[in-house]
Amino acid sequence: MDKHKQVETPAGLALLERLRTICTQFPEVQEKVDSFGHITFRVGDKPFVMLGERGLEASFSLKTTPHSQELLLHKGGYTKTPYIGQHGWVSVSGFTTPDWEEIEGLIQEGYLRTAPKRLAKLYREQQGQRR
């Protein structure tokens, strides 16, 4: 766990494990630390989930569609991610208790929006076989 020094609190580490469990179910996802020190989950070297910690607060950001972003911002519990919010990113702070079923759906949306078409197709086919 040494490579994740930027997330050190028990709450941050628990959040990382929960996000890791969700994100790594998708084909060809990689976990990397970006140049800003955020832990990112990527497909094709493009991030769709980012996690960071400042002081005692961990927060994460999700890539969404602009329409989903607008709905989430009106709903509450989400904020527009600084610097990249104009591209549909929303943030969830550590002070918010997220609806994990909703978060999983948003992560799936972000993955499918970010993944190359062949991986999005592969994932959809895998999901179809599980039903």
Side-chain angles (χ1 to χ4, degrees), residues 73-89:
L73 294 176
H74 287 293
K75 178 182 176 180
Y78 297 89
T79 58
K80 192 179 267 194
T81 305
Y83 308 109
I84 56 174
Q86 73 271 20
H87 302 293
W89 285 82

Side-chain angles (χ1 to χ4, degrees), residues 8-54:
E8 296 178 330
T9 66
L13 292 170
L15 182 57
L16 171 60
E17 286 305 314
R18 187 134 196 199
L19 291 170
R20 183 181 286 142
T21 299
I22 297 167
C23 293
T24 57
Q25 71 180 322
F26 300 103
E28 297 186 26
V29 167
Q30 295 181 329
E31 181 179 334
K32 293 185 177 180
V33 177
D34 69 12
S35 60
F36 298 102
H38 302 114
I39 297 169
T40 64
F41 293 93
R42 301 170 168 266
V43 60
D45 205 38
K46 294 180 182 177
F48 63 100
V49 175
M50 296 187 292
L51 168 69
E53 190 170 66
R54 181 175 292 172

Side-chain angles (χ1 to χ4, degrees), residues 100-129:
W100 283 102
E101 189 173 312
E102 179 177 66
I103 296 297
E104 286 186 39
L106 293 169
I107 290 172
Q108 177 184 25
E109 177 183 289
Y111 174 83
L112 292 172
R113 188 166 177 238
T114 306
K117 289 180 183 176
R118 72 173 177 82
L119 291 178
K121 181 181 177 188
L122 175 65
Y123 177 74
R124 287 186 178 108
E125 288 171 353
Q126 289 173 346
Q127 293 306 298
Q129 292 172 1

Side-chain angles (χ1 to χ4, degrees), residues 62-79:
L62 309 166
K63 185 174 187 174
T64 65
T65 65
H67 178 72
S68 292
Q69 181 191 49
E70 185 177 330
L71 294 173
L72 293 167
L73 294 176
H74 287 293
K75 178 182 176 180
Y78 297 89
T79 58

